[in-house]
Amino acid sequence: MEPLCLILFGPPGAGKGTQAKLLQSTLGIAHLSTGDMLRERSAAGDAFARELAAILNSGRLVPDETVNRMLEERIHRPDCAKGFILDGYPRTVAQAQLLAGMLARRGIRPVVIHLAVDYNVIVARLADRKICPNCGRVYGSASRPLVPGVCDQDGAALTVREDDQEQVVRERFKAYEQQTAPVLKFFAEAGYPSYEVEGGTPQAIAQQIEGFLQKHKQPV
Ligand code: ADP
């Protein structure tokens, strides 16, 4: 059986990270979040990190060459040999083209999961989202901390992601509509099996995705 590349696709705040974490444990494959990689790199303190931080905090997309280089390096690591979940990549048609070439060369089969969540639901969700600066755990309306403002896992004070501020959220949606949404057409034209999920609890959505993957076990 070829390795699987599960592409989680959808607007900011659709729940890609939440699904990736749930599916990572059930499928036993690596979780690759370009947003997490970029945030980590932007904290390094050098000039490039400052440049990255400025882009992230504006809600715009990081240039393709930077993200492509990071992703290419990452998927060659041993933990990706059995397959991987992409969370937040590809986000432009140029990224999708690079990915398609890499998958074809390495005999990895792609499956696309489109998390189509209503705009108003997402805006409310992002306004409510808090994260633990230590362990990265995400809290929101579906996962409140036991003590308000404090991480259940390590007791750290929860913070708001800088790009979850309203003005930045608007920019992220604009980038999604203009640069990322067209990637869906690329997937369709490339013949990637894809499945659209509309709503439900995180667990219910993860189960739907697993059901879809069962049906698509055959190589494409
Ligand atoms: P969300 O999906 O909720 O917007 P992410 O953590 O995936 O959050 O992304 C945060 C930011 O990181 C994006 O707004 C963008 O600036 C940058 N980013 C993440 N992935 C990519 C990518 N594939 N291409 C370009 N920029 C990216």
Side-chain angles (χ1 to χ4, degrees):
M1 189 70 194
E2 307 144 291
L4 168 73
C5 169
L6 184 65
I7 304 169
L8 296 177
F9 189 87
K16 301 184 291 291
T18 303
Q19 286 308 317
K21 286 186 189 107
L22 289 171
L23 292 162
Q24 175 187 28
S25 52
T26 46
L27 301 175
I29 56 178
H31 167 198
L32 276 47
S33 158
T34 43
D36 286 349
M37 292 180 207
L38 291 165
R39 274 186 290 278
E40 200 176 301
R41 183 63 186 85
S42 77
D46 55 359
F48 182 60
R50 282 191 292 278
E51 234 174 83
L52 270 185
I55 301 177
L56 295 180
N57 294 341
S58 73
R60 283 176 289 119
L61 294 185
V62 171
D64 288 334
E65 311 81 74
T66 304
V67 188
N68 282 344
R69 211 179 328 116
M70 247 177 37
L71 189 96
E72 232 177 331
E73 188 269 321
R74 181 68 187 84
I75 69 169
H76 284 93
R77 292 201 208 153
D79 66 333
C80 291
K82 279 196 293 171
F84 45 88
I85 302 171
L86 291 179
D87 159 12
Y89 185 94
R91 248 176 162 96
T92 63
V93 171
Q95 293 177 16
Q97 283 163 341
L98 179 103
L99 177 70
M102 285 191 290
L103 298 181
R105 276 195 301 279
R106 300 183 62 198
I108 301 174
R109 96 197 142 93
V111 172
V112 178
I113 304 294
H114 178 198
L115 299 167
V117 184
D118 185 75
Y119 177 82
N120 294 317
V121 172
I122 292 178
V123 170
R125 194 184 277 175
L126 292 181
D128 204 30
R129 178 157 81 175
K130 303 255 183 322
I131 53 166
C132 172
N134 253 356
C135 68
R137 192 159 159 183
V138 183
Y139 294 90
S141 55
S143 54
R144 298 266 176 231
L146 296 171
V147 179
V150 178
C151 180
D152 294 349
Q153 215 144 279
D154 52 30
L158 301 179
T159 55
V160 175
R161 229 171 81 173
E162 276 208 50
D163 63 350
D164 278 348
Q165 285 157 31
E166 204 185 320
Q167 176 55 34
V168 185
V169 167
R170 261 201 291 275
E171 281 303 316
R172 285 160 66 201
F173 270 103
K174 210 159 87 191
Y176 176 77
E177 268 158 23
Q178 292 174 353
Q179 293 167 272
T180 308
V183 176
L184 271 180
K185 190 163 157 249
F186 177 93
F187 291 147
E189 284 168 2
Y192 290 3
S194 65
Y195 179 66
E196 185 170 314
V197 188
E198 269 180 19
T201 63
Q203 284 74 17
I205 293 173
Q207 271 172 16
Q208 282 184 53
I209 297 173
E210 282 165 43
F212 180 72
L213 291 176
Q214 284 297 326
K215 272 196 264 163
H216 283 271
K217 278 221 157 132
Q218 294 315 308
V220 288

